[in-house]
Amino acid sequence: MSIDTLLAGVHFPDDMPAFDIGWRSLAVNLSDLAAMGATPRWCLLSLALPAVDDAWLAGFRDGFYALAEQSGITLVGGDTVRGPLAVTVQVTGEVPEGLALTRAGASAGERLCISGVPGEAAAGLALWQGGARGGPLVGALARPAAPVRLGESLRGLASACIDISDGLLPDLGHLLAASGLSGADIQLAQLPLSEALGQWGDDDQRRRAQLVGGDDYLLLFTLPDTALLPPECSVIGRVTNDAGVRLLDADGHEWPLPSGGYDHFAGDH
Amino acid sequence: MSIDTLLAGVHFPDDMPAFDIGWRSLAVNLSDLAAMGATPRWCLLSLALPAVDDAWLAGFRDGFYALAEQSGITLVGGDTVRGPLAVTVQVTGEVPEGLALTRAGASAGERLCISGVPGEAAAGLALWQGGARGGPLVGALARPAAPVRLGESLRGLASACIDISDGLLPDLGHLLAASGLSGADIQLAQLPLSEALGQWGDDDQRRRAQLVGGDDYLLLFTLPDTALLPPECSVIGRVTNDAGVRLLDADGHEWPLPSGGYDHFAGDH
């Protein structure tokens, strides 16, 4: 089970289309189920709206149901109140006893893997703030995939798993802490890059987006060497018991860690 | 399963103590489970707070956990965000297959019953708005009981059940509509009255509070004549297939229905 509240202006831009808000509010919750390897079952929705706006509601509903149908989750109840725009979604999933994935369980030496291209949502946000309203990077921000089928396939395979909401390095820190590990070596050249992200920003902006950009809702997981890497996933390094996380380029040189965490669209989250 | 969002200034007074907000935000959700005859199991909490305030959080936690412990529900997850004060609670309960109570199922002629004294919360709100901060009526508003044990005991007994959040008459309307019935006769002299409510306001104010005052979170249910009335419950009339709800005094005279619905603390809900 999981619950998440998204506030306008904090967790999504005030002027994001209603379809995307509907999609995204469910996606961020499904991402939590995916990280546990759970099969989505039921959800409830509580919606605070400043006023009744039929066109907005129709768009929100279409976006929410589009992802609900795709992921096989059923909306079973809800609540509406009048107030500043806020969306709370609660999700329940099922996983066979003993097979739920957690952040704990990674062992030193295991491969560190990621389920897609990190940094696209952060680049999409920068583009959005510059006025862009379309394209693949804005799409990654507005309509993140909810990797629930991948999460299910990682049951009994991944030793630890977390979804990336705060950023690759911050969420890696959560996984390491829960697993009682102290370090990781990340091969920068193995960070997957899409064509769209490769054409965005400069090297430094891209590296920051990939390492500390949030809101990608990908899965970050560890795999023992005996386990096959699932399709469309990449090995980006290994977890260790060394002191801290190291960023290594193709020549084995260490790069400095980007400073700062991730602040979503404004302030705390 | 049920979910409810409570907004400061809408669903509770801005200056309500944190303990009471914690208690109340769980109580209004447990009330939904009680109305289904469900045994409370798990809950999740999403809290939007304008700023971190340790004393406020400690009070909120104490109130929430006091009722959680009393009702046997376990908090299994949550979320905090920075924003205007809002509390969303989602609850899951269990009920044996086929025994869940619903609003539908009442038959014409059955007794209409209530689980406590309606109107106390509305009187408490009026007192609160006049500056009162203690006493049994303010307590009924701030810390409503969550009649989950009664709800369980009504399984297989009550033919229909609803919790009173909007007011006795509005929620009776929901029960009648769901049951396909068109009327009810309410015996005004049988509406239970407490000592505190009996000393509050004039006859007209009391009658309005009892019939259309909200936020009592009592159970309103129908009982076939063969079923025993549970302790601390009162028969207040019968549901019918006549045209509309009638209010009858001890002499059989019909009284006019109070106008208007219930608006919580401000505007819509």
Side-chain angles (χ1 to χ4, degrees):
Chain A
M1 290 182 162
S2 190
I3 194 167
D4 266 310
T5 293
L6 276 64
L7 303 179
V10 180
H11 301 96
F12 56 84
D14 281 307
D15 54 348
M16 183 175 267
F19 184 99
D20 296 341
I21 298 172
W23 177 288
R24 201 166 184 288
S25 62
L26 180 56
V28 304
N29 278 281
L30 288 174
S31 177
D32 288 323
L33 291 184
M36 296 187 266
T39 301
R41 291 294 188 222
W42 310 284
C43 61
L44 294 103
L45 166 68
S46 183
L47 196 54
L49 289 174
V52 174
D53 175 337
D54 288 338
W56 191 94
L57 277 170
F60 179 91
R61 184 196 58 210
D62 288 348
F64 192 95
Y65 276 112
L67 182 56
E69 192 165 325
Q70 181 183 309
S71 59
I73 199 163
T74 306
L75 181 67
V76 295
D79 179 37
T80 57
V81 296
R82 184 165 294 194
L85 180 57
V87 188
T88 302
V89 175
Q90 186 274 344
V91 291
T92 299
E94 286 186 319
V95 62
E97 200 168 338
L99 287 185
L101 303 173
T102 72
R103 300 172 179 192
S107 299
E110 287 180 337
R111 289 169 292 167
L112 181 65
C113 312
I114 196 166
S115 68
V117 178
E120 290 199 322
L125 177 60
L127 289 170
W128 181 283
Q129 288 168 337
R133 290 296 178 268
L137 299 177
V138 167
L141 171 73
R143 292 180 297 282
V148 292
R149 297 291 96 84
L150 173 65
E152 292 170 340
S153 77
L154 292 176
R155 291 176 193 161
L157 207 66
S159 50
C161 187
I162 190 171
D163 62 316
I164 300 184
S165 56
D166 294 343
L168 199 167
L169 291 184
D171 286 315
L172 171 59
H174 298 145
L175 184 151
L176 293 174
S179 293
L181 294 175
S182 55
D185 286 350
I186 293 177
Q187 305 296 332
L188 292 172
Q190 292 178 29
L191 282 177
L193 203 63
S194 62
E195 192 181 328
L197 187 58
Q199 291 169 355
W200 174 82
D202 59 28
D203 285 356
D204 186 59
Q205 287 174 309
R206 265 198 308 278
R207 192 173 303 115
R208 278 193 61 80
Q210 293 218 283
L211 293 170
V212 294
D215 283 312
D216 280 315
Y217 301 102
L218 309 174
L219 295 185
L220 181 70
F221 55 97
T222 49
L223 272 191
D225 279 340
T226 49
L228 276 180
L229 183 71
E232 295 174 43
C233 294
S234 309
V235 176
I236 61 170
R238 289 188 183 267
V239 293
T240 69
N241 251 329
D242 302 338
V245 172
R246 298 194 306 166
L247 304 177
L248 304 170
D249 66 17
D251 300 324
H253 293 133
E254 191 174 342
W255 283 66
L257 292 172
S259 61
Y262 185 66
D263 286 333
H264 285 276
F265 303 100
D268 295 29
H269 60 279
Chain B
M1 291 183 162
S2 190
I3 193 168
D4 265 310
T5 294
L6 276 65
L7 303 179
V10 179
H11 302 97
F12 56 85
D14 281 306
D15 54 348
M16 182 175 267
F19 184 99
D20 296 342
I21 297 171
W23 176 289
R24 200 165 185 288
S25 62
L26 180 56
V28 304
N29 278 281
L30 289 173
S31 176
D32 287 323
L33 291 184
M36 296 188 266
T39 301
R41 290 293 188 222
W42 310 284
C43 60
L44 293 104
L45 167 66
S46 184
L47 195 53
L49 288 173
V52 174
D53 176 337
D54 288 338
W56 191 94
L57 277 170
F60 179 90
R61 184 196 58 210
D62 288 349
F64 193 94
Y65 276 111
L67 182 57
E69 192 165 326
Q70 181 183 307
S71 59
I73 199 163
T74 305
L75 181 67
V76 295
D79 179 37
T80 57
V81 296
R82 183 164 294 193
L85 179 57
V87 188
T88 302
V89 175
Q90 186 273 343
V91 291
T92 299
E94 287 187 317
V95 62
E97 200 169 338
L99 286 184
L101 303 173
T102 72
R103 301 171 178 191
S107 298
E110 288 180 336
R111 289 170 293 168
L112 181 65
C113 311
I114 195 166
S115 69
V117 178
E120 290 199 323
L125 177 60
L127 288 170
W128 181 283
Q129 288 167 337
R133 290 297 178 268
L137 298 177
V138 167
L141 171 72
R143 292 180 296 283
V148 292
R149 297 290 94 85
L150 173 65
E152 292 170 340
S153 78
L154 291 176
R155 291 176 193 162
L157 207 67
S159 50
C161 188
I162 191 171
D163 62 316
I164 300 184
S165 56
D166 294 342
L168 199 166
L169 292 184
D171 286 313
L172 171 60
H174 298 145
L175 185 151
L176 293 175
S179 294
L181 293 176
S182 56
D185 286 350
I186 293 177
Q187 305 295 332
L188 291 172
Q190 293 177 28
L191 282 177
L193 204 62
S194 62
E195 192 181 328
L197 186 58
Q199 291 169 356
W200 174 81
D202 59 29
D203 286 354
D204 187 58
Q205 287 173 309
R206 267 199 306 279
R207 192 174 303 115
R208 277 192 60 81
Q210 295 219 280
L211 294 169
V212 293
D215 283 310
D216 281 314
Y217 301 103
L218 309 174
L219 295 185
L220 181 69
F221 54 97
T222 50
L223 271 190
D225 280 340
T226 49
L228 275 180
L229 183 70
E232 296 174 44
C233 293
S234 308
V235 175
I236 61 170
R238 289 186 183 267
V239 294
T240 69
N241 251 329
D242 301 339
V245 173
R246 298 193 307 168
L247 304 177
L248 304 170
D249 66 18
D251 300 323
H253 293 132
E254 190 174 343
W255 283 65
L257 291 173
S259 61
Y262 184 66
D263 285 333
H264 286 275
F265 303 100
D268 295 28
H269 61 280

